[in-house]
Amino acid sequence: ATSIDADGVVDHGLVSQPEIASGLREAGFAMHLQSIEEAFSISVSEAMAAGAVVVASPVGALKERIQSGKNGILVPGDHQSAETAGRAAEAILRLLRKPHRAEKIRRRAIGGVVDWDDVALMWERLI
């Protein structure tokens, strides 16, 4: 196990799914700044389903799943740079100042989460 030693960072160790879901509902925002070009990010889906506004890098499937300003926020740039972190923080602050806008993004994100039962039914119909 790795440990991060930085101001404001707390390592909670292994956390159960119910605890993660509860934390996401309380958090309001979920940061996904990264360079990994994932084909699908389950953590983004979980955050969206919980109603957290996803603030992410436009890489891999994230740039296809997130329509910036509509169902999340995309922040271009090096995910490890202070400049990118600053742009992400500014986007969050803008939404905190306009809670009705953040609520619209949350509603769109919750409505756009993939329901795997529906996907399975669609495949059964096609096959």
Side-chain angles (χ1 to χ4, degrees):
T2 59
S3 179
I4 300 172
D5 184 20
D7 289 341
V9 176
V10 178
D11 181 356
H12 293 280
L14 294 176
V15 179
S16 71
Q17 284 301 115
E19 287 177 279
I20 292 170
S22 174
L24 284 169
R25 282 190 299 276
E26 292 174 16
F29 294 90
M31 277 292 224
H32 291 268
L33 298 179
Q34 63 189 53
S35 63
I36 298 169
E37 301 235 354
E38 298 181 67
F40 183 85
S41 175
I42 191 138
S43 59
V44 167
S45 289
E46 290 170 339
M48 291 171 121
V53 174
V54 173
V55 179
S57 300
V59 296
L62 300 183
K63 64 185 172 197
E64 296 168 7
R65 296 182 61 216
I66 298 171
Q67 296 174 322
S68 198
K70 296 194 187 254
N71 66 348
I73 303 293
L74 292 175
V75 182
D78 177 0
H79 70 289
Q80 294 181 322
S81 77
E83 182 181 339
T84 301
R87 283 197 308 272
E90 287 170 13
I92 291 169
L93 287 172
R94 278 193 304 274
L95 290 175
L96 288 172
R97 289 184 193 112
K98 296 184 176 182
H100 63 282
R101 180 99 175 95
E103 188 55 33
K104 270 183 142 174
I105 291 172
R106 280 189 185 91
R107 282 196 312 273
R108 285 187 191 121
I110 290 169
V113 175
V114 174
D115 182 327
W116 291 108
D117 290 333
D118 290 344
V119 172
L121 286 172
M122 180 186 71
W123 277 104
E124 285 176 358
R125 285 187 207 122
L126 290 172
I127 298 175

